[in-house]
């Protein structure tokens, strides 16, 4: 299952998400949105307040736009992980980070979040660690 919102996703020739040279996953979810579309009534504050204390303090040091983008990415991660498992979303207080700073929910699917120039995206997969890097397309390549 791959959920895709709003844009074409390029898959490999078997219709699977390419993960690395020798492995692919059959079950993954990609969610993305323009940051302006992630507006809502107080959700950023509620999300921030639900995070582990140390993570909340670190995020509060960021510029407002970066803080908002990080929280929007986390909101997409919660949705993707919950939908992939067809279950309730993980509790925010269980969010951990490895030594490299990669976020994770214990016992939940692997996920990666990225944001860039007004867009945010999250990919979640069951079987392998995953990474996502969202980058702006240079103007010379846009149609």
């Amino acid at each position: 299952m791959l959920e895709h919102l709003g844009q074409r996703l390029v898959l490999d020739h078997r219709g699977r998400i390419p993960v690395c040279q020798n492995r692919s996953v059959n079950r993954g979810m990609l969610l993305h949105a323009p940051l302006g579309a992630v507006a809502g009534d107080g959700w950023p504050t509620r999300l921030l307040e639900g995070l582990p204390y140390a993570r909340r303090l670190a995020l509060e040091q960021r510029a407002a736009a970066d803080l908002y983008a990080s929280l929007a990415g986390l909101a997409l991660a919660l949705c993707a992980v919950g939908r992939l498992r067809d279950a309730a979303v993980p509790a925010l207080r269980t969010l951990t980070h490895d030594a490299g700073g990669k976020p994770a929910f214990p016992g939940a699917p692997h996920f990666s979040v990225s944001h860039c120039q007004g867009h945010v995206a999250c990919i979640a997969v069951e079987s392998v660690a995953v990474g996502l890097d969202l980058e702006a397309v240079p103007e010379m390549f846009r149609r």
Side-chain angles (χ1 to χ4, degrees), residues 44-81:
T45 301
R46 290 190 303 274
L47 195 60
L48 189 62
E49 290 171 352
L51 289 172
Y53 183 69
R55 183 64 181 154
R56 186 179 71 201
L57 288 179
L59 284 175
E60 287 174 336
Q61 300 302 313
R62 296 183 178 185
D66 191 39
L67 171 62
Y68 181 78
S70 295
L71 292 172
L74 182 56
L76 288 181
L78 288 167
C79 290
V81 167

Side-chain angles (χ1 to χ4, degrees), residues 3-127:
E3 184 162 336
H4 162 60
L5 305 173
Q7 294 181 6
R8 187 178 69 185
L9 176 66
V10 178
L11 302 173
D12 72 8
H13 68 282
R14 294 176 302 271
R16 297 188 300 185
I17 305 168
V19 176
C20 65
Q21 279 187 323
N22 299 320
R23 295 171 71 178
S24 292
V25 294
N26 288 322
R27 192 160 160 73
M29 182 164 297
L30 173 68
L31 299 176
H32 64 94
L35 281 170
V38 189
D41 184 29
W43 69 263
T45 301
R46 290 190 303 274
L47 195 60
L48 189 62
E49 290 171 352
L51 289 172
Y53 183 69
R55 183 64 181 154
R56 186 179 71 201
L57 288 179
L59 284 175
E60 287 174 336
Q61 300 302 313
R62 296 183 178 185
D66 191 39
L67 171 62
Y68 181 78
S70 295
L71 292 172
L74 182 56
L76 288 181
L78 288 167
C79 290
V81 167
R83 287 182 183 179
L84 195 56
R85 286 270 173 98
D86 199 24
V89 298
L92 276 174
R93 68 183 175 283
T94 65
L95 182 69
T96 62
H97 290 78
D98 68 14
K102 186 169 179 60
F105 290 105
H110 303 276
F111 69 91
S112 181
V113 172
S114 183
H115 53 85
C116 173
Q117 292 188 347
H119 287 81
V120 61
C122 173
I123 189 165
V125 297
E126 288 279 358
S127 54

